[in-house]
Amino acid sequence: MEQATFGAGCFWGVELLFRQTAGVLDTSVGYCGGITENPTYQDVCYKNTGHAEVVTMTFDPDVIRFSRLLDLFWENHNPTTLNRQGPDVGTQYRSVIFYHSEEQMALAIDSMERHQKRFPRPIVTQIVPACTFYPAEEYHQQYLEKRGLASCHI
């Protein structure tokens, strides 16, 4: 089993996308990439924590390759808007790939270069080493599924 961590805007919809993907065994939404230890949702939204809203997942590479997860990542958000996805604005909504191995880093860079051809503006996605993941509050976990919703407002 392997780990993958992506930030692509509000974590509710991103989590739902990956939870519905064959080979993804579990997901958790939370915060990563900042300076504040054990941040809350309020901290991330209203204080300068530096964290992004992310989804971390365990996946079976015999069922789905990391490169396919990357394709889903690029295809399901706008990686050309800095610190923004639709109406959600702020550094917590940035596009970011937290890689868990040198192989993931290389695949992420290659994937970004391939997908750049689809976008008229430059991709601004960060590709950075995985760091401490802080799980979000329980009410954020599987938020859309718990409410019977198929997507976010975007």
Side-chain angles (χ1 to χ4, degrees), residues 38-100:
N38 301 306
T40 65
Y41 183 69
Q42 295 297 317
D43 292 338
V44 172
C45 288
Y46 301 110
K47 296 181 180 177
N48 190 19
T49 67
H51 287 290
E53 289 190 16
V54 299
V55 176
T56 193
M57 65 200 76
T58 302
F59 68 97
D60 182 344
D62 291 333
V63 177
I64 188 164
R65 293 180 177 200
F66 182 69
S67 59
R68 178 61 186 134
L69 295 175
L70 287 165
D71 288 342
L72 289 170
F73 169 80
W74 298 118
E75 293 163 3
N76 285 280
H77 81 295
N78 183 348
T80 69
T81 54
L82 184 63
N83 302 327
R84 174 183 201 132
Q85 286 300 306
D88 296 325
V89 179
T91 57
Q92 72 268 31
Y93 301 114
R94 68 186 178 270
S95 176
V96 58
I97 299 167
F98 290 98
Y99 61 84
H100 293 265

Short mmCIF file of all heavy atoms in Angstrom, two decimals, residues 38-100:
data_model
loop_
_atom_site.label_atom_id
_atom_site.label_comp_id
_atom_site.label_asym_id
_atom_site.label_seq_id
_atom_site.Cartn_x
_atom_site.Cartn_y
_atom_site.Cartn_z
N ASN A 38 -1.24 21.14 15.05
CA ASN A 38 -2.62 20.80 15.40
C ASN A 38 -3.61 21.93 15.11
O ASN A 38 -4.38 22.32 15.99
CB ASN A 38 -2.70 20.37 16.86
CG ASN A 38 -1.82 19.18 17.13
OD1 ASN A 38 -1.94 18.16 16.46
ND2 ASN A 38 -0.94 19.30 18.10
N PRO A 39 -3.61 22.44 13.88
CA PRO A 39 -4.53 23.55 13.57
C PRO A 39 -5.98 23.07 13.54
O PRO A 39 -6.27 21.90 13.27
CB PRO A 39 -4.09 23.99 12.18
CG PRO A 39 -3.58 22.72 11.55
CD PRO A 39 -2.90 21.99 12.69
N THR A 40 -6.88 24.00 13.79
CA THR A 40 -8.31 23.75 13.63
C THR A 40 -8.74 24.35 12.30
O THR A 40 -8.00 25.13 11.67
CB THR A 40 -9.12 24.41 14.76
OG1 THR A 40 -8.98 25.83 14.64
CG2 THR A 40 -8.66 23.93 16.13
N TYR A 41 -9.94 24.03 11.89
CA TYR A 41 -10.49 24.62 10.67
C TYR A 41 -10.51 26.15 10.79
O TYR A 41 -10.16 26.87 9.86
CB TYR A 41 -11.89 24.07 10.43
CG TYR A 41 -12.53 24.55 9.16
CD1 TYR A 41 -12.04 24.16 7.91
CD2 TYR A 41 -13.62 25.41 9.19
CE1 TYR A 41 -12.63 24.59 6.73
CE2 TYR A 41 -14.21 25.85 8.01
CZ TYR A 41 -13.72 25.44 6.80
OH TYR A 41 -14.30 25.87 5.63
N GLN A 42 -10.91 26.64 11.96
CA GLN A 42 -10.94 28.08 12.20
C GLN A 42 -9.54 28.68 12.06
O GLN A 42 -9.37 29.77 11.50
CB GLN A 42 -11.52 28.39 13.58
CG GLN A 42 -12.98 28.00 13.73
CD GLN A 42 -13.89 28.77 12.78
OE1 GLN A 42 -13.73 29.98 12.59
NE2 GLN A 42 -14.82 28.08 12.16
N ASP A 43 -8.54 27.99 12.58
CA ASP A 43 -7.16 28.48 12.46
C ASP A 43 -6.76 28.60 10.99
O ASP A 43 -6.20 29.61 10.56
CB ASP A 43 -6.17 27.52 13.14
CG ASP A 43 -6.29 27.47 14.64
OD1 ASP A 43 -6.82 28.43 15.25
OD2 ASP A 43 -5.85 26.46 15.23
N VAL A 44 -7.04 27.54 10.23
CA VAL A 44 -6.62 27.49 8.83
C VAL A 44 -7.34 28.57 8.02
O VAL A 44 -6.75 29.20 7.14
CB VAL A 44 -6.84 26.08 8.25
CG1 VAL A 44 -6.61 26.06 6.75
CG2 VAL A 44 -5.92 25.08 8.95
N CYS A 45 -8.61 28.80 8.33
CA CYS A 45 -9.38 29.80 7.58
C CYS A 45 -9.07 31.24 7.97
O CYS A 45 -9.10 32.12 7.12
CB CYS A 45 -10.88 29.55 7.78
SG CYS A 45 -11.48 28.10 6.92
N TYR A 46 -8.78 31.48 9.26
CA TYR A 46 -8.72 32.86 9.72
C TYR A 46 -7.39 33.29 10.33
O TYR A 46 -7.25 34.44 10.73
CB TYR A 46 -9.84 33.11 10.73
CG TYR A 46 -11.20 32.85 10.13
CD1 TYR A 46 -11.96 31.76 10.51
CD2 TYR A 46 -11.69 33.68 9.12
CE1 TYR A 46 -13.20 31.51 9.92
CE2 TYR A 46 -12.93 33.44 8.53
CZ TYR A 46 -13.68 32.35 8.94
OH TYR A 46 -14.89 32.11 8.35
N LYS A 47 -6.44 32.40 10.39
CA LYS A 47 -5.11 32.76 10.89
C LYS A 47 -4.09 32.39 9.83
O LYS A 47 -4.35 31.60 8.94
CB LYS A 47 -4.82 32.04 12.20
CG LYS A 47 -5.77 32.44 13.32
CD LYS A 47 -5.44 31.72 14.60
CE LYS A 47 -6.41 32.14 15.70
NZ LYS A 47 -6.16 31.39 16.94
N ASN A 48 -2.92 32.94 9.94
CA ASN A 48 -1.87 32.70 8.96
C ASN A 48 -1.10 31.42 9.30
O ASN A 48 0.06 31.48 9.69
CB ASN A 48 -0.94 33.91 8.88
CG ASN A 48 0.01 33.82 7.72
OD1 ASN A 48 -0.21 33.07 6.78
ND2 ASN A 48 1.09 34.57 7.80
N THR A 49 -1.75 30.25 9.16
CA THR A 49 -1.11 28.99 9.51
C THR A 49 -0.21 28.47 8.41
O THR A 49 0.70 27.68 8.68
CB THR A 49 -2.15 27.90 9.81
OG1 THR A 49 -2.84 27.58 8.59
CG2 THR A 49 -3.13 28.33 10.89
N GLY A 50 -0.47 28.85 7.17
CA GLY A 50 0.28 28.33 6.03
C GLY A 50 -0.17 26.96 5.55
O GLY A 50 0.37 26.43 4.59
N HIS A 51 -1.16 26.37 6.22
CA HIS A 51 -1.63 25.04 5.83
C HIS A 51 -2.55 25.10 4.62
O HIS A 51 -3.27 26.08 4.42
CB HIS A 51 -2.38 24.37 6.98
CG HIS A 51 -1.50 23.91 8.08
ND1 HIS A 51 -0.63 22.85 7.93
CD2 HIS A 51 -1.32 24.37 9.34
CE1 HIS A 51 0.03 22.66 9.06
NE2 HIS A 51 -0.37 23.58 9.94
N ALA A 52 -2.53 24.01 3.86
CA ALA A 52 -3.49 23.80 2.77
C ALA A 52 -4.51 22.77 3.23
O ALA A 52 -4.20 21.88 4.03
CB ALA A 52 -2.77 23.30 1.53
N GLU A 53 -5.73 22.89 2.71
CA GLU A 53 -6.72 21.84 2.90
C GLU A 53 -6.32 20.71 1.96
O GLU A 53 -6.16 20.93 0.75
CB GLU A 53 -8.12 22.33 2.55
CG GLU A 53 -8.68 23.31 3.54
CD GLU A 53 -10.16 23.62 3.32
OE1 GLU A 53 -10.84 22.85 2.59
OE2 GLU A 53 -10.63 24.62 3.88
N VAL A 54 -6.14 19.51 2.50
CA VAL A 54 -5.67 18.39 1.70
C VAL A 54 -6.48 17.13 1.96
O VAL A 54 -7.19 17.02 2.96
CB VAL A 54 -4.17 18.08 1.96
CG1 VAL A 54 -3.29 19.27 1.60
CG2 VAL A 54 -3.94 17.62 3.38
N VAL A 55 -6.31 16.19 1.05
CA VAL A 55 -6.82 14.84 1.23
C VAL A 55 -5.61 13.92 1.18
O VAL A 55 -4.82 13.98 0.24
CB VAL A 55 -7.82 14.45 0.12
CG1 VAL A 55 -8.25 13.00 0.27
CG2 VAL A 55 -9.01 15.38 0.14
N THR A 56 -5.47 13.10 2.20
CA THR A 56 -4.44 12.07 2.17
C THR A 56 -5.15 10.73 2.02
O THR A 56 -6.28 10.57 2.50
CB THR A 56 -3.53 12.13 3.42
OG1 THR A 56 -2.38 11.31 3.19
CG2 THR A 56 -4.25 11.71 4.67
N MET A 57 -4.52 9.83 1.33
CA MET A 57 -5.18 8.56 1.05
C MET A 57 -4.18 7.42 1.01
O MET A 57 -2.99 7.63 0.75
CB MET A 57 -5.92 8.62 -0.29
CG MET A 57 -5.02 8.79 -1.50
SD MET A 57 -5.85 9.43 -2.96
CE MET A 57 -6.02 11.15 -2.53
N THR A 58 -4.68 6.25 1.30
CA THR A 58 -3.93 5.02 1.10
C THR A 58 -4.50 4.37 -0.15
O THR A 58 -5.73 4.29 -0.30
CB THR A 58 -4.10 4.07 2.31
OG1 THR A 58 -3.67 4.76 3.48
CG2 THR A 58 -3.30 2.80 2.13
N PHE A 59 -3.61 3.95 -1.05
CA PHE A 59 -4.08 3.31 -2.27
C PHE A 59 -3.27 2.06 -2.56
O PHE A 59 -2.14 1.91 -2.09
CB PHE A 59 -4.05 4.29 -3.45
CG PHE A 59 -2.66 4.70 -3.90
CD1 PHE A 59 -2.04 4.06 -4.98
CD2 PHE A 59 -1.98 5.73 -3.27
CE1 PHE A 59 -0.76 4.44 -5.39
CE2 PHE A 59 -0.72 6.12 -3.68
CZ PHE A 59 -0.10 5.47 -4.74
N ASP A 60 -3.88 1.17 -3.32
CA ASP A 60 -3.24 -0.08 -3.71
C ASP A 60 -2.65 0.10 -5.10
O ASP A 60 -3.41 0.19 -6.09
CB ASP A 60 -4.28 -1.20 -3.70
CG ASP A 60 -3.70 -2.56 -4.04
OD1 ASP A 60 -2.56 -2.63 -4.58
OD2 ASP A 60 -4.38 -3.57 -3.79
N PRO A 61 -1.31 0.16 -5.23
CA PRO A 61 -0.71 0.40 -6.54
C PRO A 61 -0.91 -0.75 -7.53
O PRO A 61 -0.68 -0.58 -8.72
CB PRO A 61 0.77 0.61 -6.21
CG PRO A 61 0.97 -0.08 -4.91
CD PRO A 61 -0.32 0.03 -4.17
N ASP A 62 -1.38 -1.91 -7.04
CA ASP A 62 -1.71 -3.00 -7.96
C ASP A 62 -3.06 -2.78 -8.63
O ASP A 62 -3.38 -3.41 -9.63
CB ASP A 62 -1.73 -4.34 -7.22
CG ASP A 62 -0.34 -4.78 -6.77
OD1 ASP A 62 0.65 -4.38 -7.43
OD2 ASP A 62 -0.24 -5.50 -5.77
N VAL A 63 -3.86 -1.88 -8.06
CA VAL A 63 -5.19 -1.57 -8.61
C VAL A 63 -5.18 -0.24 -9.35
O VAL A 63 -5.77 -0.10 -10.42
CB VAL A 63 -6.26 -1.56 -7.49
CG1 VAL A 63 -7.63 -1.18 -8.04
CG2 VAL A 63 -6.30 -2.90 -6.78
N ILE A 64 -4.53 0.76 -8.77
CA ILE A 64 -4.45 2.08 -9.39
C ILE A 64 -3.04 2.64 -9.19
O ILE A 64 -2.49 2.58 -8.10
CB ILE A 64 -5.52 3.05 -8.84
CG1 ILE A 64 -5.52 4.35 -9.66
CG2 ILE A 64 -5.33 3.31 -7.35
CD1 ILE A 64 -6.76 5.20 -9.46
N ARG A 65 -2.50 3.14 -10.25
CA ARG A 65 -1.14 3.70 -10.18
C ARG A 65 -1.20 5.14 -9.70
O ARG A 65 -2.19 5.84 -9.91
CB ARG A 65 -0.49 3.64 -11.55
CG ARG A 65 -0.23 2.24 -12.01
CD ARG A 65 0.40 2.24 -13.36
NE ARG A 65 0.70 0.87 -13.73
CZ ARG A 65 1.57 0.55 -14.64
NH1 ARG A 65 2.21 1.48 -15.31
NH2 ARG A 65 1.79 -0.72 -14.92
N PHE A 66 -0.11 5.59 -9.10
CA PHE A 66 0.00 6.98 -8.67
C PHE A 66 -0.20 7.92 -9.87
O PHE A 66 -0.83 8.97 -9.74
CB PHE A 66 1.35 7.22 -7.99
CG PHE A 66 1.51 8.62 -7.46
CD1 PHE A 66 0.75 9.06 -6.39
CD2 PHE A 66 2.42 9.49 -8.03
CE1 PHE A 66 0.89 10.35 -5.89
CE2 PHE A 66 2.57 10.78 -7.54
CZ PHE A 66 1.81 11.21 -6.47
N SER A 67 0.30 7.53 -11.03
CA SER A 67 0.14 8.38 -12.22
C SER A 67 -1.33 8.59 -12.57
O SER A 67 -1.71 9.67 -13.02
CB SER A 67 0.90 7.80 -13.41
OG SER A 67 0.43 6.50 -13.72
N ARG A 68 -2.18 7.60 -12.33
CA ARG A 68 -3.62 7.78 -12.58
C ARG A 68 -4.23 8.71 -11.55
O ARG A 68 -5.10 9.52 -11.87
CB ARG A 68 -4.33 6.41 -12.58
CG ARG A 68 -5.82 6.52 -12.79
CD ARG A 68 -6.17 7.15 -14.15
NE ARG A 68 -7.61 7.36 -14.24
CZ ARG A 68 -8.17 8.48 -14.68
NH1 ARG A 68 -7.44 9.48 -15.11
NH2 ARG A 68 -9.48 8.60 -14.70
N LEU A 69 -3.79 8.61 -10.29
CA LEU A 69 -4.26 9.55 -9.27
C LEU A 69 -3.88 10.97 -9.65
O LEU A 69 -4.66 11.91 -9.47
CB LEU A 69 -3.69 9.19 -7.90
CG LEU A 69 -4.14 7.86 -7.30
CD1 LEU A 69 -3.40 7.59 -5.99
CD2 LEU A 69 -5.64 7.81 -7.10
N LEU A 70 -2.69 11.14 -10.20
CA LEU A 70 -2.26 12.46 -10.66
C LEU A 70 -3.17 12.97 -11.78
O LEU A 70 -3.56 14.14 -11.78
CB LEU A 70 -0.81 12.42 -11.14
CG LEU A 70 0.25 12.30 -10.06
CD1 LEU A 70 1.59 11.91 -10.67
CD2 LEU A 70 0.36 13.59 -9.27
N ASP A 71 -3.51 12.10 -12.72
CA ASP A 71 -4.42 12.51 -13.80
C ASP A 71 -5.74 12.99 -13.22
O ASP A 71 -6.27 14.03 -13.63
CB ASP A 71 -4.67 11.36 -14.78
CG ASP A 71 -3.46 11.05 -15.65
OD1 ASP A 71 -2.55 11.90 -15.77
OD2 ASP A 71 -3.43 9.93 -16.20
N LEU A 72 -6.29 12.27 -12.26
CA LEU A 72 -7.55 12.69 -11.63
C LEU A 72 -7.38 14.05 -10.94
O LEU A 72 -8.27 14.90 -11.01
CB LEU A 72 -8.02 11.64 -10.62
CG LEU A 72 -8.52 10.34 -11.21
CD1 LEU A 72 -8.70 9.29 -10.12
CD2 LEU A 72 -9.82 10.56 -11.98
N PHE A 73 -6.26 14.24 -10.28
CA PHE A 73 -5.96 15.51 -9.63
C PHE A 73 -6.01 16.65 -10.64
O PHE A 73 -6.71 17.64 -10.44
CB PHE A 73 -4.58 15.40 -8.97
CG PHE A 73 -4.00 16.69 -8.47
CD1 PHE A 73 -4.41 17.23 -7.26
CD2 PHE A 73 -3.02 17.35 -9.21
CE1 PHE A 73 -3.86 18.41 -6.79
CE2 PHE A 73 -2.47 18.54 -8.74
CZ PHE A 73 -2.89 19.07 -7.54
N TRP A 74 -5.28 16.52 -11.75
CA TRP A 74 -5.21 17.60 -12.75
C TRP A 74 -6.56 17.83 -13.42
O TRP A 74 -6.92 18.96 -13.75
CB TRP A 74 -4.17 17.29 -13.83
CG TRP A 74 -2.78 17.17 -13.33
CD1 TRP A 74 -1.99 16.05 -13.39
CD2 TRP A 74 -1.97 18.17 -12.69
NE1 TRP A 74 -0.77 16.31 -12.83
CE2 TRP A 74 -0.72 17.59 -12.39
CE3 TRP A 74 -2.19 19.49 -12.33
CZ2 TRP A 74 0.30 18.29 -11.77
CZ3 TRP A 74 -1.17 20.20 -11.70
CH2 TRP A 74 0.06 19.60 -11.43
N GLU A 75 -7.32 16.77 -13.65
CA GLU A 75 -8.58 16.86 -14.39
C GLU A 75 -9.73 17.42 -13.57
O GLU A 75 -10.77 17.78 -14.12
CB GLU A 75 -8.96 15.47 -14.91
CG GLU A 75 -8.01 14.95 -15.97
CD GLU A 75 -8.12 13.45 -16.21
OE1 GLU A 75 -9.00 12.79 -15.60
OE2 GLU A 75 -7.32 12.94 -17.02
N ASN A 76 -9.56 17.52 -12.25
CA ASN A 76 -10.70 17.87 -11.41
C ASN A 76 -10.52 19.16 -10.61
O ASN A 76 -11.25 19.38 -9.62
CB ASN A 76 -11.03 16.70 -10.49
CG ASN A 76 -11.72 15.61 -11.25
OD1 ASN A 76 -12.92 15.70 -11.50
ND2 ASN A 76 -10.98 14.59 -11.67
N HIS A 77 -9.61 19.99 -11.01
CA HIS A 77 -9.52 21.33 -10.43
C HIS A 77 -8.74 22.21 -11.40
O HIS A 77 -8.23 21.72 -12.41
CB HIS A 77 -8.87 21.30 -9.04
CG HIS A 77 -7.38 21.24 -9.02
ND1 HIS A 77 -6.66 20.16 -9.49
CD2 HIS A 77 -6.47 22.13 -8.58
CE1 HIS A 77 -5.36 20.39 -9.33
NE2 HIS A 77 -5.22 21.59 -8.79
N ASN A 78 -8.68 23.50 -11.12
CA ASN A 78 -7.95 24.43 -11.98
C ASN A 78 -6.59 24.71 -11.34
O ASN A 78 -6.51 25.50 -10.39
CB ASN A 78 -8.74 25.72 -12.16
CG ASN A 78 -8.04 26.68 -13.10
OD1 ASN A 78 -6.87 26.50 -13.44
ND2 ASN A 78 -8.74 27.72 -13.51
N PRO A 79 -5.53 24.09 -11.85
CA PRO A 79 -4.21 24.28 -11.24
C PRO A 79 -3.51 25.57 -11.68
O PRO A 79 -2.35 25.79 -11.35
CB PRO A 79 -3.45 23.04 -11.73
CG PRO A 79 -4.02 22.78 -13.08
CD PRO A 79 -5.49 23.12 -12.94
N THR A 80 -4.23 26.43 -12.41
CA THR A 80 -3.62 27.68 -12.88
C THR A 80 -4.03 28.89 -12.06
O THR A 80 -3.59 30.00 -12.33
CB THR A 80 -3.95 27.94 -14.35
OG1 THR A 80 -5.34 28.24 -14.48
CG2 THR A 80 -3.58 26.74 -15.23
N THR A 81 -4.89 28.69 -11.06
CA THR A 81 -5.32 29.81 -10.22
C THR A 81 -4.57 29.74 -8.90
O THR A 81 -4.65 28.74 -8.18
CB THR A 81 -6.84 29.78 -9.99
OG1 THR A 81 -7.23 28.51 -9.47
CG2 THR A 81 -7.60 30.05 -11.29
N LEU A 82 -3.87 30.77 -8.58
CA LEU A 82 -3.05 30.81 -7.37
C LEU A 82 -3.94 31.03 -6.15
O LEU A 82 -4.68 32.02 -6.08
CB LEU A 82 -2.01 31.92 -7.47
CG LEU A 82 -1.01 32.01 -6.32
CD1 LEU A 82 -0.16 30.74 -6.23
CD2 LEU A 82 -0.11 33.23 -6.49
N ASN A 83 -3.87 30.09 -5.22
CA ASN A 83 -4.60 30.21 -3.94
C ASN A 83 -6.09 30.43 -4.12
O ASN A 83 -6.72 31.21 -3.41
CB ASN A 83 -4.01 31.35 -3.09
CG ASN A 83 -2.54 31.13 -2.81
OD1 ASN A 83 -2.08 29.99 -2.67
ND2 ASN A 83 -1.79 32.20 -2.75
N ARG A 84 -6.66 29.69 -5.09
CA ARG A 84 -8.08 29.87 -5.37
C ARG A 84 -8.62 28.68 -6.15
O ARG A 84 -7.97 28.16 -7.04
CB ARG A 84 -8.27 31.13 -6.20
CG ARG A 84 -9.68 31.31 -6.66
CD ARG A 84 -9.88 32.52 -7.55
NE ARG A 84 -11.30 32.82 -7.47
CZ ARG A 84 -11.80 34.00 -7.25
NH1 ARG A 84 -11.01 35.03 -7.14
NH2 ARG A 84 -13.10 34.16 -7.16
N GLN A 85 -9.85 28.30 -5.79
CA GLN A 85 -10.64 27.36 -6.59
C GLN A 85 -12.06 27.89 -6.57
O GLN A 85 -12.71 27.93 -5.52
CB GLN A 85 -10.58 25.94 -6.02
CG GLN A 85 -9.27 25.23 -6.26
CD GLN A 85 -8.93 25.08 -7.73
OE1 GLN A 85 -9.70 24.56 -8.52
NE2 GLN A 85 -7.76 25.57 -8.12
N GLY A 86 -12.53 28.33 -7.72
CA GLY A 86 -13.86 28.91 -7.81
C GLY A 86 -14.01 30.07 -6.84
O GLY A 86 -13.16 30.95 -6.79
N PRO A 87 -15.08 30.05 -6.02
CA PRO A 87 -15.29 31.16 -5.08
C PRO A 87 -14.43 31.08 -3.82
O PRO A 87 -14.42 32.01 -3.03
CB PRO A 87 -16.77 31.02 -4.73
CG PRO A 87 -17.03 29.56 -4.84
CD PRO A 87 -16.18 29.09 -6.00
N ASP A 88 -13.71 29.98 -3.64
CA ASP A 88 -12.87 29.81 -2.44
C ASP A 88 -11.51 30.44 -2.67
O ASP A 88 -10.77 30.03 -3.58
CB ASP A 88 -12.72 28.32 -2.10
CG ASP A 88 -14.03 27.66 -1.75
OD1 ASP A 88 -14.88 28.33 -1.12
OD2 ASP A 88 -14.21 26.48 -2.08
N VAL A 89 -11.18 31.43 -1.85
CA VAL A 89 -9.94 32.17 -2.02
C VAL A 89 -9.15 32.12 -0.72
O VAL A 89 -9.69 32.29 0.37
CB VAL A 89 -10.23 33.64 -2.39
CG1 VAL A 89 -8.93 34.43 -2.53
CG2 VAL A 89 -11.05 33.72 -3.66
N GLY A 90 -7.85 31.88 -0.84
CA GLY A 90 -6.95 31.85 0.31
C GLY A 90 -5.88 30.80 0.10
O GLY A 90 -6.04 29.87 -0.70
N THR A 91 -4.78 30.94 0.81
CA THR A 91 -3.67 29.99 0.62
C THR A 91 -4.06 28.56 0.98
O THR A 91 -3.46 27.62 0.48
CB THR A 91 -2.45 30.42 1.46
OG1 THR A 91 -2.83 30.49 2.84
CG2 THR A 91 -1.90 31.75 1.00
N GLN A 92 -5.09 28.39 1.82
CA GLN A 92 -5.51 27.04 2.19
C GLN A 92 -6.14 26.30 1.00
O GLN A 92 -6.27 25.08 1.03
CB GLN A 92 -6.46 27.04 3.39
CG GLN A 92 -7.86 27.57 3.11
CD GLN A 92 -8.00 29.05 3.39
OE1 GLN A 92 -7.06 29.84 3.26
NE2 GLN A 92 -9.19 29.46 3.78
N TYR A 93 -6.49 27.03 -0.05
CA TYR A 93 -7.10 26.41 -1.24
C TYR A 93 -6.10 26.23 -2.38
O TYR A 93 -6.50 25.96 -3.50
CB TYR A 93 -8.29 27.25 -1.70
CG TYR A 93 -9.35 27.40 -0.65
CD1 TYR A 93 -9.64 28.65 -0.10
CD2 TYR A 93 -10.05 26.30 -0.17
CE1 TYR A 93 -10.60 28.79 0.89
CE2 TYR A 93 -11.00 26.43 0.82
CZ TYR A 93 -11.28 27.67 1.35
OH TYR A 93 -12.23 27.79 2.33
N ARG A 94 -4.83 26.37 -2.08
CA ARG A 94 -3.82 26.26 -3.14
C ARG A 94 -3.77 24.84 -3.72
O ARG A 94 -4.16 23.87 -3.08
CB ARG A 94 -2.45 26.68 -2.63
CG ARG A 94 -1.81 25.76 -1.60
CD ARG A 94 -0.52 26.41 -1.09
NE ARG A 94 0.16 25.67 -0.06
CZ ARG A 94 -0.06 25.81 1.25
NH1 ARG A 94 -0.97 26.66 1.69
NH2 ARG A 94 0.64 25.09 2.11
N SER A 95 -3.27 24.77 -4.92
CA SER A 95 -3.05 23.50 -5.61
C SER A 95 -1.68 22.99 -5.21
O SER A 95 -0.66 23.67 -5.41
CB SER A 95 -3.14 23.72 -7.13
OG SER A 95 -2.86 22.54 -7.82
N VAL A 96 -1.64 21.77 -4.64
CA VAL A 96 -0.37 21.25 -4.13
C VAL A 96 -0.37 19.73 -4.14
O VAL A 96 -1.39 19.10 -3.87
CB VAL A 96 -0.09 21.80 -2.71
CG1 VAL A 96 -1.18 21.45 -1.72
CG2 VAL A 96 1.28 21.36 -2.19
N ILE A 97 0.77 19.18 -4.49
CA ILE A 97 1.02 17.75 -4.39
C ILE A 97 2.11 17.56 -3.34
O ILE A 97 3.21 18.11 -3.48
CB ILE A 97 1.49 17.17 -5.74
CG1 ILE A 97 0.43 17.37 -6.81
CG2 ILE A 97 1.88 15.68 -5.58
CD1 ILE A 97 0.93 17.12 -8.23
N PHE A 98 1.79 16.82 -2.29
CA PHE A 98 2.77 16.46 -1.27
C PHE A 98 3.26 15.05 -1.60
O PHE A 98 2.51 14.09 -1.40
CB PHE A 98 2.15 16.51 0.13
CG PHE A 98 1.84 17.90 0.60
CD1 PHE A 98 0.57 18.42 0.49
CD2 PHE A 98 2.85 18.69 1.15
CE1 PHE A 98 0.28 19.70 0.93
CE2 PHE A 98 2.57 19.98 1.59
CZ PHE A 98 1.29 20.49 1.48
N TYR A 99 4.48 14.94 -2.11
CA TYR A 99 4.96 13.61 -2.51
C TYR A 99 5.56 12.86 -1.32
O TYR A 99 6.12 13.45 -0.41
CB TYR A 99 5.94 13.71 -3.69
CG TYR A 99 7.19 14.51 -3.43
CD1 TYR A 99 8.30 13.95 -2.81
CD2 TYR A 99 7.26 15.84 -3.84
CE1 TYR A 99 9.46 14.69 -2.59
CE2 TYR A 99 8.42 16.59 -3.62
CZ TYR A 99 9.51 15.99 -3.00
OH TYR A 99 10.65 16.74 -2.79
N HIS A 100 5.40 11.53 -1.38
CA HIS A 100 5.84 10.66 -0.29
C HIS A 100 7.08 9.85 -0.65
O HIS A 100 7.54 9.04 0.17
CB HIS A 100 4.70 9.72 0.12
CG HIS A 100 3.56 10.44 0.74
ND1 HIS A 100 3.42 10.57 2.10
CD2 HIS A 100 2.50 11.09 0.19
CE1 HIS A 100 2.32 11.26 2.36
NE2 HIS A 100 1.75 11.60 1.22
#
